């Protein structure tokens, strides 16, 4: 199964209205990041144990570890959780930036250093979410 098929299967496995929200967010992210690399992480480690929720990934950047090793990873992640949906914007060095810049205008969302979490898409301002996604890709492209 290719990445596109894995993503489609993951989205369609969600109950409504989360399924429709995930599909809309997937399309919004693809429009915001045309031509980006797509990823799918099933949330399982090398032993097959579930270690996180599955993630749809967009874009690409290099994680630099303290020991000098590097690894390619996605910049933006989209994931369903028990209470709603999470958008991960990885690679931002200033862990207060998302909350300070986008938190108040996003709507009913909780914003941490790299995660925007909300219950339903209608609860948030998608224009502000798209701006945060674009910022995440721009800032990680500079690193």
């Amino acid at each position: 199964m290719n990445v596109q098929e894995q993503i489609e299967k993951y989205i369609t496995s969600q109950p409504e209205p989360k399924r429709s929200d995930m599909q809309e967010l997937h399309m919004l992210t693809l429009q915001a990041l045309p031509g980006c690399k797509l990823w799918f992480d099933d949330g399982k480690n090398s032993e097959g144990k579930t270690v996180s929720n599955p993630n749809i990934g967009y874009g690409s950047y290099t994680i630099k570890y303290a020991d000098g090793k590097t690894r390619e990873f996605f910049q933006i992640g989209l994931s369903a959780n028990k209470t709603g949906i999470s958008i991960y914007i990885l690679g931002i060095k200033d862990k207060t930036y998302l909350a300070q810049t986008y938190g108040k205008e996003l709507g009913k969302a909780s914003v941490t250093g790299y995660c925007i979490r909300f219950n339903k898409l209608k609860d948030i301002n998608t224009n502000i979410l798209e701006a945060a996604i674009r910022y995440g890709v721009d800032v990680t492209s500079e690193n």
Side-chain angles (χ1 to χ4, degrees):
M1 190 177 323
N2 69 31
V3 172
Q4 198 68 28
E5 291 167 336
Q6 290 175 306
I7 291 169
E8 192 59 38
K9 183 178 178 188
Y10 175 57
I11 291 173
T12 58
S13 74
Q14 301 302 315
E16 284 295 353
K18 195 180 293 186
R19 179 183 318 141
S20 295
D21 285 355
M22 294 277 294
Q23 186 64 48
E24 191 171 334
L25 284 164
H26 179 60
M27 298 311 295
L28 176 117
T29 307
L30 290 174
Q31 288 171 0
L33 310 173
C36 70
K37 180 175 181 174
L38 283 177
W39 304 64
F40 184 75
D41 178 358
D42 64 4
K44 294 182 178 7
N45 67 10
S46 57
E47 287 105 49
K49 288 186 177 183
T50 299
V51 294
S52 69
N53 289 327
N55 260 288
I56 301 168
Y58 307 87
S60 177
Y61 85 108
T62 303
I63 298 173
K64 297 174 181 96
Y65 294 101
D67 65 3
K69 292 182 182 172
T70 61
R71 180 178 122 183
E72 183 185 19
F73 206 65
F74 55 80
Q75 294 167 300
I76 308 297
L78 169 61
S79 180
N81 57 54
K82 286 182 182 177
T83 60
I85 297 170
S86 296
I87 302 282
Y88 299 96
I89 303 176
L90 305 175
I92 299 173
K93 287 187 173 39
D94 180 352
K95 299 302 177 203
T96 63
Y97 185 84
L98 280 182
Q100 289 177 346
T101 307
Y102 304 105
K104 289 182 180 143
E105 296 180 65
L106 260 169
K108 290 168 51 177
S110 99
V111 184
T112 62
Y114 63 90
C115 180
I116 299 170
R117 185 175 292 128
F118 49 91
N119 291 338
K120 295 180 179 84
L121 191 56
K122 68 180 178 113
D123 293 341
I124 64 162
N125 182 329
T126 55
N127 292 328
I128 301 300
L129 179 62
E130 184 177 346
I133 289 169
R134 287 181 193 272
Y135 168 78
V137 171
D138 288 346
V139 78
T140 54
S141 296
E142 295 168 4
N143 293 342

